[in-house]
Amino acid sequence: MARFIKSNKEFIGISPDSIRFRGEKKTDSTLIKLTRYNENSLSENTIGEIEDLTDLYKPGFTSWLNIDGLHDMDLMRQLPVNLDIEPVIISEVLNTHARPKVIEYDNCLYIGLKMLHYLGDGITIKTENIVFVVKEGVLITFQERTGDVFDPVRERLKNAKKRIRRLGADYLAFTLIDIIIDNYTYLISRIGQDIETLDEKLLRSANDDILHQINKFKSELIYLHKSILPGKEMIYHLIKMDSEYINEDSLVHYRELQSNINHAVDSLNNYKEILSSQLNIYHTQVSSRLNDVMKFLTVFSVIFIPLTFIAGIYGTNFVHIPELHYKLGYPVMLVAMAIIAVGMLVYFKRKRWI
Amino acid sequence: MARFIKSNKEFIGISPDSIRFRGEKKTDSTLIKLTRYNENSLSENTIGEIEDLTDLYKPGFTSWLNIDGLHDMDLMRQLPVNLDIEPVIISEVLNTHARPKVIEYDNCLYIGLKMLHYLGDGITIKTENIVFVVKEGVLITFQERTGDVFDPVRERLKNAKKRIRRLGADYLAFTLIDIIIDNYTYLISRIGQDIETLDEKLLRSANDDILHQINKFKSELIYLHKSILPGKEMIYHLIKMDSEYINEDSLVHYRELQSNINHAVDSLNNYKEILSSQLNIYHTQVSSRLNDVMKFLTVFSVIFIPLTFIAGIYGTNFVHIPELHYKLGYPVMLVAMAIIAVGMLVYFKRKRWI
Amino acid sequence: MARFIKSNKEFIGISPDSIRFRGEKKTDSTLIKLTRYNENSLSENTIGEIEDLTDLYKPGFTSWLNIDGLHDMDLMRQLPVNLDIEPVIISEVLNTHARPKVIEYDNCLYIGLKMLHYLGDGITIKTENIVFVVKEGVLITFQERTGDVFDPVRERLKNAKKRIRRLGADYLAFTLIDIIIDNYTYLISRIGQDIETLDEKLLRSANDDILHQINKFKSELIYLHKSILPGKEMIYHLIKMDSEYINEDSLVHYRELQSNINHAVDSLNNYKEILSSQLNIYHTQVSSRLNDVMKFLTVFSVIFIPLTFIAGIYGTNFVHIPELHYKLGYPVMLVAMAIIAVGMLVYFKRKRWI
Amino acid sequence: MARFIKSNKEFIGISPDSIRFRGEKKTDSTLIKLTRYNENSLSENTIGEIEDLTDLYKPGFTSWLNIDGLHDMDLMRQLPVNLDIEPVIISEVLNTHARPKVIEYDNCLYIGLKMLHYLGDGITIKTENIVFVVKEGVLITFQERTGDVFDPVRERLKNAKKRIRRLGADYLAFTLIDIIIDNYTYLISRIGQDIETLDEKLLRSANDDILHQINKFKSELIYLHKSILPGKEMIYHLIKMDSEYINEDSLVHYRELQSNINHAVDSLNNYKEILSSQLNIYHTQVSSRLNDVMKFLTVFSVIFIPLTFIAGIYGTNFVHIPELHYKLGYPVMLVAMAIIAVGMLVYFKRKRWI
Amino acid sequence: MARFIKSNKEFIGISPDSIRFRGEKKTDSTLIKLTRYNENSLSENTIGEIEDLTDLYKPGFTSWLNIDGLHDMDLMRQLPVNLDIEPVIISEVLNTHARPKVIEYDNCLYIGLKMLHYLGDGITIKTENIVFVVKEGVLITFQERTGDVFDPVRERLKNAKKRIRRLGADYLAFTLIDIIIDNYTYLISRIGQDIETLDEKLLRSANDDILHQINKFKSELIYLHKSILPGKEMIYHLIKMDSEYINEDSLVHYRELQSNINHAVDSLNNYKEILSSQLNIYHTQVSSRLNDVMKFLTVFSVIFIPLTFIAGIYGTNFVHIPELHYKLGYPVMLVAMAIIAVGMLVYFKRKRWI
Ligand SMILES: [Mg+2]
Ligand SMILES: [Mg+2]
Ligand SMILES: [Mg+2]
Ligand SMILES: [Mg+2]
Ligand SMILES: [Mg+2]
Ligand SMILES: [Mg+2]
Ligand SMILES: [Mg+2]
Ligand SMILES: [Mg+2]
Ligand SMILES: [Mg+2]
Ligand SMILES: [Mg+2]
Ligand SMILES: [Mg+2]
Ligand SMILES: [Mg+2]
Ligand SMILES: [Mg+2]
Ligand SMILES: [Mg+2]
Ligand SMILES: [Mg+2]
Ligand SMILES: [Mg+2]
Ligand SMILES: [Mg+2]
Ligand SMILES: [Mg+2]
Ligand SMILES: [Mg+2]
Ligand SMILES: [Mg+2]
Ligand SMILES: [Mg+2]
Ligand SMILES: [Mg+2]
Ligand SMILES: [Mg+2]
Ligand SMILES: [Mg+2]
Ligand SMILES: [Mg+2]
Ligand SMILES: [Mg+2]
Ligand SMILES: [Mg+2]
Ligand SMILES: [Mg+2]
Ligand SMILES: [Mg+2]
Ligand SMILES: [Mg+2]
Ligand SMILES: [Mg+2]
């Protein structure tokens, strides 16, 4: 399947509020968790039945509803009613291949983003679409599967003294987006480290393996670029739109996000430039080594050519070749050959051809 | 004929409201169909005579008039009167090579776009110019020939419960444009899939066929870019112009279109970058293989050069060459030759030339 | 003389209202023609004497004054008075190398543009600077020489029923600029057609002639770009400036111009990209063919090298070479040589070197 | 010293109003000249002593003070008082390596620009920083050394009928900047002419000299770009800032400047593109010629290889080689060799290898 | 560690007001210095204990608090209270890898920037993150370690007559940022000088050492670009935001900064372009030299090929070769060989192959 853009013929032309799952199913079960907190208390509940999901908004509290797994269409069709959001939003959530974007709806703010996970030492990037719906006192997050990068926030929430406990849903959304962007930075720094290591390797020996790695990194950077750049645009618009769902006080944090994602994109572009430099160095090294070999071999051949020619002359069967009958004919020829060979070597050395 | 820009000398300087067909005739008959619907009822009629085409607007209904085939000038000249639109719009419709654009006229909104059809497995893109004229309660669409990508909408219209039945002409226009853009995405994902497959093929063997495919894809992407990019601009202006013919409520859907077409253009650019990477890899592979062959052959020749030279020396006809008379002269020479050959092989191996 | 920018030392530092001709003289005589029309009547007069040129504006009529040839300084110095325009405008008209631009003066609107003529089948582009001065009820056009692309408009003017007869000077200016831009499109489509033809030619044989054509087209596109791009900027500013000399009703037509010139510039850029692709294909083809030749020749040489070496060995004059005395020595050597040759051929074939 | 950016460690961190000369001293003496004019009178005075420099502004007159040479710090420290300008402006004047820019101060407008002189036929560009300070009724210009491109203005000033005598300091500043920009255009057209001449030279023979010229031109264009581009920005800001020191009536002239400098920058970019095309053609020509030589030589060698091999066979000393004893053995071998050689020649010719 | 972007997994997801050091520890001790001045007096005190740090703002004075070393978390946690700034600012200060940016907080202005130090003759750039916090009458600067480029300002402060003594904290901040940017310029001019020197070296001999230097400079320029470009953005926003902490009078100085950093970035881009030109010249030189060698050697071989062939013919053992018995056979062959060799030399010379 195409990695950079995905499209399924059967979903072309469906209604924008049609509740149909358009991604790949990445989990078997749906996990719904409601975290509700204010300065004084914090409760975490797993919601078993969709019917239990009522009165999401509770005055004086911030309610965070996290839904992992989007394949249960019965549940999804029920959500607009229970969560008091437009069906078009759920429909959008189900299109996990959508481009990151921000849209302000009548009673909420929709933010879509790509979450990247980095697995193990090799380059294994897992992409997951994540949607934030910010309402008055409520944050709803939709994930394609269980497992995310939000554990540090969950830790902070447990500490009643933390600022996050006093601030609202928009601040919670910020902290989660912040982590996602910090993960971009981390991912790029990991790959960047490997790219910078190539510099020294290149100077030592430019082999196929390095070339292969350069091409691999290049293609990974294009993929990262594709995942991150629309996020930069999204945050730019998010700040500019001055949404009623983002507090004036939180805006300074969102501006911080902008700086961070700009930093990530800058670095991506820098590494692209560096890779392209490295590719150049690789080709220069390879061709320079080939040139050395070919020059050596050619010079080697050229030195034997006149010698073989001389031997050829004295190998002719002319009846009258006086030199053949000289007593010292043979050793003189050998010495002459040696002189010619040495002369040519000296000449080539001087010309810096060898 | 030029594929990227088409111009016919005979149409230069005609009046902007001149009713003359400036495209290629792609159908023989004209098919006019009127679909009229509201929440309660839906009627579909084929209009046989232009005279039947009166009172397009019917209060409480949305009327969609679709015209396939633009070559009948008698009909076209009649349309401005019957449809209550300016002749300049019909003139524009007849210029099927025009660039996608949006223009707000006094009593309607003009939207031009390119519809792409993908036929079969090979890369066969068919382009068709399509025009939307949005009026109060009325949508008129002009197509170059019968056959389009709108069937899913026609299906949805038949279902009285669907939202589309309650919403107006601007929403209908949105759904049709949405399908066109989803087809862009689908087309790109199809080509993109083929492009990504080239990666593995390249690693296995870089042959002429792959080169040919890369160049083919490259030229297709340029063509797609040319067809899609002005559409991106058009939608950007459509949203910015805040037309009276687009409802405030529909605007959120049009913004969705923008995100989708941006996604398509992003991916196009990504695939361009990937193709250019692949072209690089191809050239590196081809030249690396050539280098290997030439190096092998050169080393092979070089090994025989001193051996042949030695044979040449003992082939000279000097009377006094003592070695020739030694009993073991011949075998000693052969052994010496073997030693030289092996020595050179070892040397070249150590230098990593073979 | 430089083709892309022209400058004459003697005109540096002259006053912006200095009436001096700064182009190349392209005609010997000056031709002044006044066309005056409204819905009811049309008159065309050639103005012989500058004194006859009074009362250009006639209420209820649109007056189009066209001046071909700019070298008569006596006339030019008289024009500001007779035409009621500022001397600075005439000075600007006389600078035929100026960049296309639009300036709003106190009592008129100045529009400068490049008119391109395409002559014959070869690539022969003739550039001519043309200036439009739009006043209340009056259009003045300045051309470097007689002959233009405006005949279709002159035809339309003769027809009293045409819309152009009812509309004013700004609409007349639009129709003329429209033709100029349609000629850009036509020119690009002509060259584009030739460029697209190269694709097939390239696949058949990549010879010097094709390379020469690619370079020729490339340089023509740069020249076209230089002539057309400032026109795109000019029209953008013309629309944005909301001049009082352009009617609200005419603006929609000027926006059409923008779409058309954007289309032309897009296509220019596309063809640049295609040419650069073709150049790549050319180089790949040439080097691939060279590689094939060199590989064949090298393999051919390499096969003979061991054979010649064997012959060399049996050409040595050692007294004791047993093989030489065997009855079948010679044919055995020949057969051995054949086996070696065939073996190498098979090996190279398997390695796909030949 | 670096040509593109200059910095002296000792001036880092000095106060923005510190009166210290930070350029290269380009003249030994300071020349101060005051030109005062209105429609009726014109006076030119050389100011010998700084004390004479009082009451620069004289109602009803335009006063132009030109200062050549900036190294006299006593004078410079006195200027802020005598000219009624802030010290920070003089400090800025003394930083002759500054980037062109425009700043509006409390009682004047500061405009910095690079003046380019073209000397002789070779490419010899002399750069000089020039500063314009526009005040009410007063223009002060600062030059690094005596000698400028302003003589045409001085001529025009002598003529009482010229418009320049009626208009103010802002118009005078315009005429001087106009000349500077016209000189950019002239300079580029001179270099451009030389670049365009290379086209034909390249087709005749691609030698080292042409390569050297291309690289020389390329580096000159980068230098010109660096000098001119900030000027384009500067004029853009000058027009946009709507300074009180620039009359509404003069603005149209400044817009003219913008068009002219855009034209210059456009042409620079065009010539860069052309040079890069020429570099491509050069490399193609060189490699094509090398390919021809190598192919010829290789084919030549290859033809002799089987012939030499045959001679080698009949040079072996086998006792039983029947051919050697045939009467026609030798001529038959020669004929066979000729047939083989001709056959190969025909084959290579057919394959178009020679 | 990655040079272009740094990220530590353990800091992902910490609160924006979390006081944790996220840089590399670059000093062991913390040095706090308070400089307080007005026109009349100046005092400098080293603050030993954090408790001594109270009442930073003193009416009628400008207070500059400089803190070197950021690793002491006890101190850092105390700072928000003692300095009356939000904890989020200290948290930001501790993230020394952040991108340069400007943020306006409720009671202060935050400015982050990269300070570059140039050490010795080789290219040794040391980067240090520096933060300016501008408050009413107070400037706080945070440095990663002791040692900066601010000594010239400290000198100016000692002089009671200097303007800096009369102006406020915003002007002090300007002078410090000015020095940092002047250091950018200085650094670029140092590297630029070395780059320009390469031009001549390249013409003399294109060796590996030069290639290595070009690549080294290229990578340094990318690094400089990454450090400086966000600073350009930052200053652009700083001017546009019209902060209440920057006086109207100081703005003109900040605009000066913008011009200076633009100059630096322009030059960086110019040098990038020059390096890429030099890389091209290098490759052209290397390949041209290789071509010369290969052509010479090939021509040399080719001349001997027919000669050796002739010797081979007369080395055959045919019984009937009449030439062998001619008295002058041998010298005639030698002369014929000489004629052939000279003929070929002349031919190749004429073809300009040697
Ligand atoms: Mg993208
Ligand atoms: Mg994605
Ligand atoms: Mg953005
Ligand atoms: Mg950025
Ligand atoms: Mg970049
Ligand atoms: Mg396009
Ligand atoms: Mg099309
Ligand atoms: Mg756009
Ligand atoms: Mg999409
Ligand atoms: Mg985009
Ligand atoms: Mg991209
Ligand atoms: Mg141009
Ligand atoms: Mg022109
Ligand atoms: Mg524009
Ligand atoms: Mg068109
Ligand atoms: Mg466009
Ligand atoms: Mg394009
Ligand atoms: Mg300069
Ligand atoms: Mg520059
Ligand atoms: Mg600008
Ligand atoms: Mg000009
Ligand atoms: Mg421009
Ligand atoms: Mg250009
Ligand atoms: Mg960061
Ligand atoms: Mg950067
Ligand atoms: Mg840094
Ligand atoms: Mg900026
Ligand atoms: Mg500077
Ligand atoms: Mg700039
Ligand atoms: Mg720049
Ligand atoms: Mg560049």
Side-chain angles (χ1 to χ4, degrees), chain A residues 307-340:
Chain A
L307 309 185
T308 304
F309 167 66
I310 289 170
I313 282 177
Y314 292 111
T316 57
N317 297 316
F318 285 98
V319 175
H320 305 287
I321 306 185
E323 298 94 309
L324 295 180
H325 301 282
Y326 295 165
K327 194 117 204 229
L328 292 174
Y330 176 60
V332 162
M333 179 190 76
L334 291 184
V335 169
M337 282 172 168
I339 289 171
I340 288 170

Side-chain angles (χ1 to χ4, degrees), chain E residues 45-230:
Chain E
N45 293 299
T46 302
I47 310 277
E49 298 295 315
I50 182 72
E51 289 74 27
D52 304 343
L53 201 60
T54 50
D55 296 322
L56 202 53
Y57 172 67
K58 187 167 167 187
F61 285 84
T62 298
S63 303
W64 174 20
L65 186 79
N66 181 62
I67 300 175
D68 292 340
L70 309 171
H71 58 285
D72 181 348
M73 288 306 102
D74 291 334
L75 173 66
M76 290 296 149
R77 265 182 225 105
Q78 194 59 35
L79 283 180
V81 182
N82 291 40
L83 303 182
D84 181 27
I85 53 179
E86 296 178 49
V88 78
I89 292 174
I90 295 300
S91 177
E92 193 57 42
V93 162
L94 296 174
N95 180 14
T96 58
H97 302 317
R99 199 173 183 263
K101 67 180 153 251
V102 58
I103 308 179
E104 188 158 22
Y105 286 97
D106 269 357
N107 66 349
C108 66
L109 183 73
Y110 170 99
I111 299 171
L113 203 57
K114 301 295 174 196
M115 178 156 67
L116 303 178
H117 310 254
Y118 182 70
L119 309 169
D121 294 329
I123 302 160
T124 331
I125 302 170
K126 227 172 55 177
T127 302
E128 185 179 353
N129 194 53
I130 185 148
V131 170
F132 299 84
V133 176
V134 187
K135 300 186 63 171
E136 175 73 45
V138 172
L139 172 69
I140 311 165
T141 49
F142 294 91
Q143 301 190 28
E144 292 186 70
R145 73 186 142 234
T146 309
D148 54 35
V149 295
F150 298 153
D151 285 339
V153 175
R154 296 198 180 88
E155 280 313 305
R156 271 158 66 193
L157 277 175
K158 285 178 189 151
N159 186 339
K161 285 183 231 138
K162 286 283 183 187
R163 209 155 72 118
I164 196 171
R165 289 282 288 273
R166 296 191 311 272
L167 297 167
D170 59 339
Y171 185 82
L172 179 61
F174 151 73
T175 57
L176 298 175
I177 297 173
D178 186 39
I179 289 183
I180 289 172
I181 292 175
D182 279 355
N183 263 288
Y184 293 169
T185 304
Y186 178 66
L187 209 61
I188 296 168
S189 79
R190 283 295 298 261
I191 293 180
Q193 206 170 326
D194 291 352
I195 290 173
E196 294 185 28
T197 315
L198 285 180
D199 268 350
E200 304 153 39
K201 284 194 197 162
L202 258 178
L203 290 188
R204 265 186 283 121
S205 76
N207 53 42
D208 272 19
D209 189 49
I210 285 176
L211 177 66
H212 189 248
Q213 278 183 58
I214 291 175
N215 284 322
K216 184 91 180 62
F217 285 135
K218 206 166 152 190
S219 112
E220 286 310 303
L221 289 189
I222 296 176
Y223 185 68
L224 277 172
H225 202 260
K226 172 218 117 94
S227 302
I228 295 177
L229 199 68

Side-chain angles (χ1 to χ4, degrees), chain A residues 264-280:
Chain A
V265 172
D266 282 358
S267 305
L268 261 183
N269 288 331
N270 284 327
Y271 282 120
K272 267 186 175 177
E273 230 177 306
I274 288 167
L275 276 181
S276 131
S277 246
Q278 288 179 339
L279 212 51
N280 260 322

Side-chain angles (χ1 to χ4, degrees), chain C residues 225, chain D residues 266 269-270 273:
Chain C
H225 202 261
Chain D
D266 281 358
N269 287 332
N270 284 326
E273 230 178 304

Side-chain angles (χ1 to χ4, degrees), chain C residues 146-351:
Chain C
T146 307
D148 54 36
V149 294
F150 298 153
D151 286 339
V153 175
R154 295 197 181 91
E155 280 312 306
R156 271 157 67 193
L157 277 175
K158 285 179 188 151
N159 186 339
K161 286 181 230 140
K162 287 282 184 188
R163 209 155 71 119
I164 196 171
R165 287 284 288 273
R166 297 190 310 273
L167 297 167
D170 59 341
Y171 185 81
L172 178 61
F174 150 73
T175 57
L176 299 175
I177 297 173
D178 186 38
I179 290 184
I180 289 173
I181 292 174
D182 279 355
N183 262 288
Y184 293 168
T185 304
Y186 178 66
L187 208 59
I188 295 167
S189 78
R190 283 295 297 261
I191 293 180
Q193 207 171 325
D194 291 351
I195 290 172
E196 294 185 28
T197 315
L198 286 180
D199 268 350
E200 304 152 40
K201 284 193 197 162
L202 259 177
L203 289 187
R204 266 186 284 120
S205 76
N207 53 43
D208 273 18
D209 189 48
I210 285 175
L211 177 66
H212 189 246
Q213 279 182 59
I214 292 175
N215 284 322
K216 182 90 182 64
F217 285 135
K218 207 167 153 191
S219 113
E220 286 310 303
L221 289 189
I222 296 176
Y223 184 68
L224 277 172
H225 202 261
K226 174 217 114 97
S227 303
I228 295 176
L229 199 68
K232 174 177 160 179
E233 268 179 50
M234 184 273 279
I235 287 173
Y236 173 80
H237 288 298
L238 179 54
I239 289 167
K240 221 179 54 173
M241 70 165 34
D242 190 23
S243 163
E244 59 178 302
Y245 296 100
I246 305 289
N247 242 298
E248 196 60 26
D249 288 345
S250 296
L251 259 187
V252 74
H253 299 303
Y254 281 91
R255 271 194 214 101
E256 185 67 17
L257 291 184
Q258 193 172 18
S259 175
N260 290 346
I261 201 164
N262 282 355
H263 192 36
V265 171
D266 282 358
S267 305
L268 261 182
N269 288 331
N270 283 327
Y271 282 120
K272 268 187 173 177
E273 231 178 304
I274 288 168
L275 276 181
S276 130
S277 246
Q278 289 178 339
L279 210 53
N280 260 323
I281 294 175
Y282 172 85
H283 283 127
T284 306
Q285 295 242 42
V286 164
S287 91
S288 150
R289 210 172 49 197
L290 179 72
N291 290 347
D292 286 354
V293 175
M294 296 309 265
K295 225 153 59 180
F296 175 91
L297 295 178
T298 309
V299 162
F300 187 92
S301 315
V302 157
I303 285 170
F304 279 98
I305 280 172
L307 310 185
T308 303
F309 167 66
I310 289 169
I313 283 177
Y314 292 112
T316 57
N317 298 316
F318 285 98
V319 174
H320 303 287
I321 307 185
E323 299 95 308
L324 295 179
H325 300 280
Y326 296 165
K327 194 116 203 231
L328 290 174
Y330 176 60
V332 163
M333 179 190 76
L334 290 183
V335 168
M337 283 175 167
I339 289 170
I340 289 170
V342 168
M344 288 175 80
L345 275 171
V346 168
Y347 179 78
F348 293 154
K349 200 83 189 173
R350 276 209 192 141
K351 286 266 199 173

Side-chain angles (χ1 to χ4, degrees), chain A residues 8 42 44 55 128 177 204-205 226 261-262 302 338 346:
Chain A
N8 193 326
L42 169 87
E44 282 191 54
D55 295 323
E128 185 179 354
I177 298 173
R204 265 187 283 119
S205 76
K226 173 218 115 96
I261 201 164
N262 281 355
V302 157
V346 168

